[in-house]
Amino acid sequence: LDIYPNPANTHIRFALKASYLHRKDYSYIMLNQLGQIVKGGALEETNQGEFSIATDNLHPGFYYLHITDAFRENTWTGSFIKN
């Protein structure tokens, strides 16, 4: 999962391959370096295959992002730094 911009300030963006976009329901959890869940919820597409999550309420540091589809058949994982 390619997350950009990295490092992030106010938001992160990422894209899923077109072959996965037939499943419209995606959710995410965001974890800090200690493995604590700091944010999570449903994802909404901003453009075709592109998603965005606000990060302005996160403390500076390193974060992991885990995304799953509604059926938990596909999982994507990435990481980013928050300034």
Side-chain angles (χ1 to χ4, degrees), residues 1-3 12-31 43 45 49 51 53 63-80:
L1 183 65
D2 293 325
I3 299 172
I12 55 170
R13 290 190 178 117
F14 55 91
L16 298 179
K17 293 182 180 179
S19 59
Y20 294 108
L21 294 179
H22 64 283
R23 299 176 190 253
K24 292 292 183 184
D25 297 323
Y26 300 96
S27 61
Y28 75 96
I29 58 169
M30 195 175 292
L31 299 100
L43 287 173
E45 235 175 306
F51 299 85
I53 300 173
Y63 292 88
Y64 297 97
L65 179 66
H66 297 283
I67 299 165
T68 57
D69 65 19
F71 301 103
R72 296 187 184 265
E73 293 177 351
N74 298 291
T75 302
W76 298 268
T77 302
S79 60
F80 67 96

